[in-house]
Amino acid sequence: MKRIFCVIISICTLAFVLVAKNDTRPVAAKHLFIEAPDEIFPMLEENTRLDMIDYYESAYNRPSLNVFEDSSMVTYCDSTCIKIKASEVLQYQLSMPAKNLILLISTHSIPMYDSEISFYDFEWEKLSTEKYFSSPKLADWLTDDGKKMRDDVENAVPFIIASYNFDVESGVLTITNQLKDYFDKNTWQQVSKWLSPQLKYKWTGKKFKKQ
C-alpha cells in the first residue's frame, strides 16, 4: 500500500510539473518589464518600474526618476508591447513576437538613433540573437546605384547607424537608416542614393526574414 501511495504521489508531482511547463496563460508585457533582472534595465529599479506603469495606466503624465535622477516614462503599453523612455538618450521596446520569447530593442541617441536587438525567454535567460535575426550587412542596404558603386560606398560609409521598431500586430521589424545627420549635406546627397532608407523583416513564427 505504501509503495502504491508513493507511485501516486510521483505521478501527481510529474503532472503538476508538466502543467507548469506547458502553462499557456498570457503574460503581459508590463509584467515582464517589472520582473526583469536589474541588469536588463540597470537605471530603472523595480519600484521605479512599478511607478512608471501606474502613472501610465492612470494617464498621469508624470515622469519617474531613474538611478541617475533623469526622467523616465512608459510611453506605450499593451499586452504584447511596452515602450520605455529610460532617459533623454536611451529608449527601450519590449515585445513578444511568440510564446516564451521576448524581443528587446535598446535605442541610444548619439545624437542619431542607434538600436541594438536582443532576445530572451520569459525567465529572462538570454537567447542567441542569430537564431532569430541576422543583422543587416552593408550589402543589404545597397540600392541598385549602390551596388554599382560598391567600392565607393565602402570608402564613404564606415558603419551603418539605424533604429529598430517592431510592430507586433503585423509581425514586421522596420529598420530605419539614421545616417543623414552623420554626414554633411553635400556628402549625404550623394551617399543617400546608394543606401536604402529602410529595411523590413517579417516574423515567420520562428525567425525574422528580410522582405
Side-chain angles (χ1 to χ4, degrees):
M1 178 65 72
K2 183 176 180 180
R3 183 176 180 182
I4 294 174
F5 179 75
C6 290
V7 170
I8 293 173
I9 292 296
S10 298
I11 293 173
C12 290
T13 300
L14 178 60
F16 282 130
V17 170
L18 290 174
V19 168
K21 283 186 66 177
N22 294 284
D23 191 351
T24 58
R25 290 176 297 176
V27 178
K30 67 179 182 180
H31 293 144
L32 293 170
F33 172 57
I34 292 168
E35 296 167 4
D38 291 341
E39 60 265 24
I40 304 296
F41 304 106
M43 66 172 62
L44 301 173
E45 297 176 335
E46 184 176 347
N47 286 338
T48 303
R49 288 177 245 160
L50 285 165
D51 287 342
M52 292 165 66
I53 294 293
D54 287 343
Y55 292 151
Y56 179 85
E57 292 184 335
S58 61
Y60 187 33
N61 190 28
R62 174 182 174 179
S64 301
L65 293 180
N66 60 38
V67 296
F68 301 112
E69 298 191 352
D70 291 329
S71 295
S72 302
M73 297 180 68
V74 171
T75 58
Y76 176 84
C77 185
D78 65 17
S79 60
T80 59
C81 177
I82 182 169
K83 296 183 179 181
I84 305 109
K85 179 182 178 183
S87 72
E88 291 299 320
V89 297
L90 177 60
Q91 301 177 45
Y92 295 102
Q93 181 187 4
L94 186 163
S95 304
M96 297 181 288
K99 177 186 173 184
N100 201 32
L101 182 64
I102 299 169
L103 180 157
L104 183 65
I105 297 172
S106 307
T107 303
H108 292 82
S109 304
I110 55 173
M112 298 78 72
Y113 291 118
D114 189 35
S115 296
E116 298 176 2
I117 190 169
S118 52
F119 296 88
Y120 301 84
D121 65 20
F122 279 9
E123 299 300 319
W124 283 105
E125 291 293 328
K126 191 171 179 60
L127 305 173
S128 170
T129 300
E130 290 71 24
K131 180 179 179 180
Y132 304 101
F133 174 69
S134 296
S135 298
K137 298 177 174 57
L138 179 62
D140 297 309
W141 288 98
L142 295 178
T143 61
D144 289 340
D145 286 341
K147 292 174 183 176
K148 298 174 185 177
M149 306 292 290
R150 178 66 181 263
D151 290 342
D152 290 332
V153 178
E154 291 178 346
N155 289 330
V157 183
F159 44 76
I160 296 291
I161 301 173
S163 59
Y164 290 32
N165 183 72
F166 178 58
D167 184 83
V168 180
E169 186 173 347
S170 66
V172 173
L173 174 68
T174 301
I175 307 178
T176 303
N177 186 330
Q178 298 288 347
L179 280 171
K180 181 179 180 179
D181 293 331
Y182 176 80
F183 294 100
D184 62 70
K185 184 177 180 180
N186 291 332
T187 304
W188 177 245
Q189 284 181 342
Q190 179 59 53
V191 171
S192 62
K193 301 174 185 177
W194 298 337
L195 300 172
S196 299
Q198 285 188 335
L199 300 177
K200 291 184 181 293
Y201 290 73
K202 178 75 174 180
W203 177 252
T204 66
K206 293 183 177 180
K207 63 185 300 183
F208 285 99
K209 184 176 181 180
K210 188 172 179 291
Q211 292 186 310

